[in-house]
Amino acid sequence: MKNIAVIGAGTMGNGIAHVFAQNNYNVNLIDISQEALEKGLATITKNLDRLLVKEKITDEIKIQTLNNINTFTSIALGVKNVDLVVEAATENVDLKLKIFKQLDDAAPDKAILASNTSSISITEIAAVTKRPDKIIGMHFMNPVPIMKLVEIIRGFNTSDEVTKTIMKLSENLKKVPVEVNDYPGFVANRILMPMLNEAIETLYNGVAGVYEIDTVMKLGMAHPMGPLQLADFIGLDVCLSILNVMYDGFKNPKYAPCPLLVNMVKAGKLGVKTGEGFYDYSESKKAEKVAKR
């Protein structure tokens, strides 16, 4: 297994492509937008430069990593001769099902098709293909080049051989794979998202402010980042989508998203990526911080 395709050049996709390429895999990075591909490559380059400054890689590794990546705006061309596809598109079930139908038609019969989904059923995804035994979840954590964990999600029909292959592959990427079964939210988000949602409920109910809630969790529970800041980092739209998947899957009110979260997403306040969420990340705010130093 040497030739890898990654679908999506966004935050997760470019991170996954980076990790594979740095570990000497040939990577086809695929996105419908040439602009997105260029932005993804720029992010990979910037992250490699950071590693270079920290002396964690050499100039040679940086150059080789970038040389290992080719870009495509066509799924059919990008997956033509690959051994593995990792889909990292937006967390939307209809979009993922559409992509996997395309992948099933275009990728070689031998190819394993993996999804980086953080909550959507691998079994449901596999059902739209003719190779359900070769469909698996590879849930990387953000930021991908730094975080060690990969949740390996077995669908109902995922074969033992495919699971073992992907577990071993993840270890080759210097990651720590953990096998989990296919239930909404898997392990990471089944535990994390209700905590984030409860923090939002605590703010919504007026128990404490944003800073106070995050400070309690950082200093009292030794969390490196407060839950509201983490929600901003993940993306409030992503949090809402995952909670909705779990609520639909379990029909349990404990997974129902807080009305404040719903309204913030409707208002376009999605966190870091839009410049405002529970915190203000706008350029004016950054300039204000610089002026105070």
Side-chain angles (χ1 to χ4, degrees), residues 245-260:
V245 167
M246 293 197 295
Y247 183 57
D248 290 342
F250 291 116
K251 302 293 189 273
N252 188 323
K254 75 178 180 179
Y255 299 115
C258 175
L260 175 59

Side-chain angles (χ1 to χ4, degrees), residues 228-245:
L228 299 176
Q229 185 184 6
L230 179 56
D232 275 355
F233 182 71
I234 294 169
L236 302 191
D237 54 334
V238 176
C239 294
L240 178 60
S241 176
I242 295 169
L243 283 164
N244 281 331
V245 167

Side-chain angles (χ1 to χ4, degrees), residues 5-9 28-32 37 70 72-75 78-79:
V6 178
I7 309 293
N28 292 346
L29 182 58
I30 305 167
D31 201 294
I32 57 172
L37 288 167
N70 292 301
F72 294 82
T73 53
S74 164
I75 284 181
V79 304

Side-chain angles (χ1 to χ4, degrees), residues 33-53:
S33 162
Q34 185 62 41
E35 182 183 355
L37 288 167
E38 290 170 3
K39 187 177 178 182
L41 284 175
T43 299
I44 293 169
T45 302
K46 182 170 67 175
N47 289 335
L48 286 167
D49 285 338
R50 285 175 179 164
L51 294 173
L52 196 58
V53 168

Side-chain angles (χ1 to χ4, degrees), residues 239-288:
C239 294
L240 178 60
S241 176
I242 295 169
L243 283 164
N244 281 331
V245 167
M246 293 197 295
Y247 183 57
D248 290 342
F250 291 116
K251 302 293 189 273
N252 188 323
K254 75 178 180 179
Y255 299 115
C258 175
L260 175 59
L261 174 62
V262 174
N263 281 341
M264 289 181 73
V265 172
K266 285 180 180 177
K269 297 182 179 182
L270 309 182
V272 174
K273 61 187 169 186
T274 60
E276 185 179 2
F278 293 107
Y279 293 86
D280 186 347
Y281 306 92
S282 62
E283 290 302 319
S284 60
K285 197 69 177 178
K286 290 176 185 175
E288 183 183 320

Side-chain angles (χ1 to χ4, degrees), residues 55-172:
E55 298 184 345
K56 292 189 175 181
I57 63 169
T58 62
D59 274 311
E60 184 180 357
I61 290 174
K62 175 190 169 181
I63 293 167
Q64 186 60 52
T65 298
L66 293 171
N67 286 342
N68 285 339
I69 302 173
N70 292 301
T71 60
F72 294 82
T73 53
S74 164
I75 284 181
L77 292 176
V79 304
K80 190 176 180 181
N81 296 305
V82 300
D83 304 303
L84 168 70
V85 181
V86 182
E87 169 274 319
T90 304
E91 192 72 353
N92 176 288
V93 64
D94 292 332
L95 176 61
K96 289 187 186 293
L97 296 181
K98 179 182 176 182
I99 289 172
F100 270 82
K101 286 178 183 176
Q102 291 179 268
L103 293 176
D104 192 41
D105 290 337
D109 291 341
K110 65 173 184 176
I112 296 171
L113 308 181
S115 177
N116 182 57
T117 179
S118 54
S119 61
I120 295 168
S121 169
I122 298 302
T123 303
E124 183 178 359
I125 290 172
V128 302
T129 75
K130 298 182 289 292
R131 61 181 92 190
D133 59 314
K134 293 185 177 69
I135 310 299
I136 196 165
M138 289 185 79
H139 180 205
F140 290 84
M141 304 293 131
N142 185 26
V144 181
I146 304 300
M147 301 292 278
K148 290 290 187 183
L149 175 67
V150 184
E151 273 189 308
I152 306 300
I153 304 105
R154 288 189 68 143
F156 188 79
N157 291 304
T158 307
S159 72
D160 290 341
E161 181 183 357
V162 164
T163 303
K164 288 175 184 175
T165 297
I166 297 302
M167 292 284 284
K168 179 62 178 173
L169 176 70
S170 301
E171 290 172 355
N172 291 344

